[in-house]
Amino acid sequence: MGDEKKSKQRDGSMVFESMYPLLALMLILVACVDLCDAATVVDVYRLVQYDISGVPFGSRFSSLNHHAASLSFQRGADLSRSVLILPLRELDLGFLQDYISQKQSLGGLLILLPQTLRPGNNIVLSETQGFRKLLAQLENLLVHANIPFPVYFAFENEETDAMLVDVKKNDALGQQATATTGGYKLVISVSEPRKIASPTITNIQGWLPGSRAEGDSNQLPTIAIVASYDTFGAAPALSVGSDSNGSGVVALLEVARLFSTLYSNPKTRGRYNLLFALTSGGPYNYEGTQKWLKSLDQRMRESIDYAICLNSVGSWDNELLVHVSKPPDNAYIKQIFEGFSNVAEDLGFQVALKHKKINISNSRVAWEHEQFSRLRVTAATLSELSTPPELLESAGSLSDTRQLVHEDAIIKGVKLVAESLARHIYGHQKKDIKIFADDSSLAVNPFNVRSWLDLLSQTPRVAPFLSKSEPLITALKKELEDYTAEVSVQHESLDGIFTFYDSTKASLNIYQVASVTFDLLLLLVLGSYLIVLFSFLVITTRGVDDLISLFRRPPSRKVKMV
């Protein structure tokens, strides 16, 4: 009797042990049912987050975990738990402006950009001027608003296109994606943004000393050539600023190369010192230029005859503008403009003079040369732009990419600056002399222009996100060391009114999830199958009676009272 009881217990134990793998399989399937269709990872770029004097701007959050929605959703729908996907080509700026201004709740915003806007992309740009204007308006809206939800940019590809088609179809049918209905879930798992501690701006200076006449102890006059190299845009990780001001940096480096050749020979070294400066902080009121000027020795600053600032010279056809602060009838301004005009006429294009008086009581400056003017140094800005950019605008926008910049335009700008400087230095004004002729050893090098333009067009340069040992800063310093002497680097703290936050780039995980209804149906089918399989195993091993006994309540035992 005891052996029979032990045999039954052993058989029952074997039945239950045989169920362990099946139970484990069921648990695994339940855990994975929501993630079984996870597939795509996309690089995304977060909208800038910053404060000015404690006032917040930009996107204030970074993590995402919501279902996808499109503009095809029914008006009035609750999008507080949805990520709105907006292709730039279909952008309704008015809708977005109303949504932000009315502070309506949104789980997140994903803006899809065409591949032609990807930095370093060599695809021919097909977007119209109106399209670029729309993009500029979008950036202006996002950069100057306080947005209480995550905003990201991504580039269109086959996966995002296919997802958007499905999302639009469901939204048009009124089937907004939720945990119940299924759809696409967008997930970005990152820590919340942190303040960047003590952001720095870095200036790089190179010097070409002139030649004194024998017995002359007077300090030589100096001409400064300056360009700001950093950028600012809606997405810091995409802000390459090919034209503003990559083109100005390229032009300065090539002018430095040309004069290094002239000044390397004592016989052709001019009686002017040449000072080359690559400044940072351009989008922030040209703060780097201001601090660099104030750091100069007073005698050095007073020796500056005039300064030429280069800003956006890579996208023009037949005219460049010379912006000045001093009146046009000022003797120095006349001399600078006449020099440019004579060379431009010889080269087959035009320059025009634009005067804008500065307001000393206002710390805001419109152009880089105004920082010189405030210190009573004659200066001018050479640019294709007719009006100055506003603070934190037009300094590396999403549309300012390599395809918009023309190497020929930069080369013409280099020739204009180099020839006018040379004629002034060597006393050849009003003479039709081409010192930097195309067929000479002093010709502009198109390969150098193209190489540096390509590099800058692939390198985001938003100052607060650049370290002191940034490879680009090192490369610029080395380039100036090849052409000039006494190269120095100056690190300064960015003005305390600006506060920036990290987390500029992330990975977006796109999951295609089934609805809860489908999940429950799948679990029901799976559970039924396991019950049938379990019953079959019990019946085949012990019979129907044992199966029934498993579900029968055991009889209670009564305790005899003594």
Side-chain angles (χ1 to χ4, degrees), residues 261-436:
T261 303
L262 273 177
Y263 274 48
S264 63
N265 187 341
K267 294 182 179 179
T268 56
R269 186 179 301 161
R271 301 198 182 281
Y272 277 81
N273 301 316
L274 293 180
L275 183 59
F276 297 91
L278 292 169
T279 60
S280 183
Y284 319 108
N285 210 36
Y286 296 102
E287 186 180 335
T289 308
Q290 179 192 43
K291 291 186 174 180
W292 169 70
L293 279 171
K294 289 184 177 180
S295 72
L296 292 178
D297 177 84
Q298 184 175 350
R299 289 187 63 202
M300 164 79 74
R301 192 164 61 241
E302 291 175 351
S303 76
I304 297 177
D305 202 7
Y306 63 87
I308 300 297
C309 303
L310 305 175
N311 185 334
S312 302
V313 293
S315 184
W316 59 283
D317 293 321
N318 195 46
E319 184 180 68
L320 277 176
L321 300 172
V322 182
H323 297 272
V324 296
S325 300
K326 291 185 176 183
D329 57 359
N330 177 276
Y332 289 102
I333 297 302
K334 276 186 175 181
Q335 184 183 46
I336 295 172
F337 181 65
E338 286 179 2
F340 279 139
S341 296
N342 293 334
V343 173
E345 185 178 354
D346 294 340
L347 294 174
F349 57 87
Q350 298 177 336
V351 292
L353 189 67
K354 291 207 71 173
H355 171 241
K356 176 185 173 298
K357 188 177 180 180
I358 63 173
N359 182 358
I360 298 296
S361 62
N362 186 356
S363 61
R364 169 83 174 102
V365 298
W367 297 102
E368 188 168 20
H369 73 264
E370 293 181 12
Q371 293 289 15
F372 288 84
S373 299
R374 286 175 174 275
L375 297 175
R376 302 186 183 281
V377 177
T378 302
T381 294
L382 187 67
S383 177
E384 70 209 23
L385 304 176
S386 59
T387 57
E390 295 295 330
L391 184 68
L392 300 181
E393 288 185 15
S394 303
S397 67
L398 292 169
S399 63
D400 190 355
T401 56
R402 176 68 175 84
Q403 298 93 326
L404 288 178
V405 181
H406 310 297
E407 296 167 26
D408 290 343
I410 297 178
I411 290 173
K412 287 193 296 182
V414 170
K415 289 180 178 179
L416 175 65
V417 174
E419 288 287 352
S420 62
L421 287 179
R423 292 185 186 184
H424 178 76
I425 291 171
Y426 299 107
H428 296 320
Q429 292 96 331
K430 299 182 180 180
K431 297 180 182 178
D432 186 10
I433 298 175
K434 290 186 179 180
I435 298 175
F436 303 99

Side-chain angles (χ1 to χ4, degrees), residues 1-13:
M1 195 69 181
D3 292 341
E4 183 179 349
K5 185 176 181 180
K6 289 180 179 179
S7 177
K8 286 185 177 181
Q9 289 177 345
R10 185 167 54 251
D11 291 340
S13 177

Side-chain angles (χ1 to χ4, degrees), residues 57-323:
F57 294 96
S59 176
R60 311 309 293 182
F61 296 93
S62 58
S63 58
L64 269 182
N65 190 355
H66 295 298
H67 286 80
S70 71
L71 278 178
S72 300
F73 68 88
Q74 294 181 346
R75 292 300 184 261
D78 180 15
L79 296 179
S80 60
R81 295 184 178 274
S82 298
V83 180
L84 184 59
I85 304 175
L86 290 180
L88 188 61
R89 301 181 192 278
E90 304 171 14
L91 178 65
D92 184 343
L93 191 62
F95 161 79
L96 186 58
Q97 192 166 11
D98 291 341
Y99 216 90
I100 293 175
S101 63
Q102 295 172 13
K103 300 187 182 303
Q104 298 188 47
S105 182
L106 186 63
L109 178 63
L110 177 63
I111 300 172
L112 298 179
L113 305 173
Q115 283 286 343
T116 50
L117 296 180
R118 183 185 289 274
N121 202 331
N122 292 322
I123 299 175
V124 176
L125 198 64
S126 59
E127 280 68 32
T128 62
Q129 184 67 31
F131 179 86
R132 294 195 292 273
K133 183 178 179 181
L134 175 66
L135 180 55
Q137 292 173 336
L138 170 66
E139 288 190 77
N140 187 43
L141 169 65
L142 296 177
V143 165
H144 297 295
N146 177 8
I147 303 178
F149 50 80
V151 179
Y152 283 92
F153 298 90
F155 292 99
E156 297 170 336
N157 57 31
E158 293 180 359
E159 288 81 7
T160 59
D161 291 346
M163 172 185 66
L164 190 57
V165 169
D166 288 344
V167 172
K168 284 182 176 180
K169 187 186 303 181
N170 292 335
D171 286 350
L173 295 174
Q175 299 176 355
Q176 188 178 349
T178 64
T180 304
T181 61
Y184 288 87
K185 178 169 280 190
L186 308 184
V187 179
I188 297 176
S189 300
V190 293
S191 59
E192 286 308 309
R194 294 173 298 179
K195 292 182 180 180
I196 297 177
S198 303
T200 60
I201 50 179
T202 301
N203 301 317
I204 311 169
Q205 167 189 308
W207 176 262
L208 275 178
S211 177
R212 282 194 181 92
E214 188 175 349
D216 186 1
S217 60
N218 294 325
Q219 182 168 348
L220 293 177
T222 300
I223 299 175
I225 302 94
V226 185
S228 177
Y229 67 85
D230 62 329
T231 60
F232 178 87
L238 298 175
S239 184
V240 296
S242 295
D243 193 15
S244 179
N245 188 33
S247 60
V249 173
V250 173
L252 181 145
L253 293 176
E254 185 61 10
V255 171
R257 188 190 69 82
L258 293 174
F259 276 95
S260 72
T261 303
L262 273 177
Y263 274 48
S264 63
N265 187 341
K267 294 182 179 179
T268 56
R269 186 179 301 161
R271 301 198 182 281
Y272 277 81
N273 301 316
L274 293 180
L275 183 59
F276 297 91
L278 292 169
T279 60
S280 183
Y284 319 108
N285 210 36
Y286 296 102
E287 186 180 335
T289 308
Q290 179 192 43
K291 291 186 174 180
W292 169 70
L293 279 171
K294 289 184 177 180
S295 72
L296 292 178
D297 177 84
Q298 184 175 350
R299 289 187 63 202
M300 164 79 74
R301 192 164 61 241
E302 291 175 351
S303 76
I304 297 177
D305 202 7
Y306 63 87
I308 300 297
C309 303
L310 305 175
N311 185 334
S312 302
V313 293
S315 184
W316 59 283
D317 293 321
N318 195 46
E319 184 180 68
L320 277 176
L321 300 172
V322 182
H323 297 272

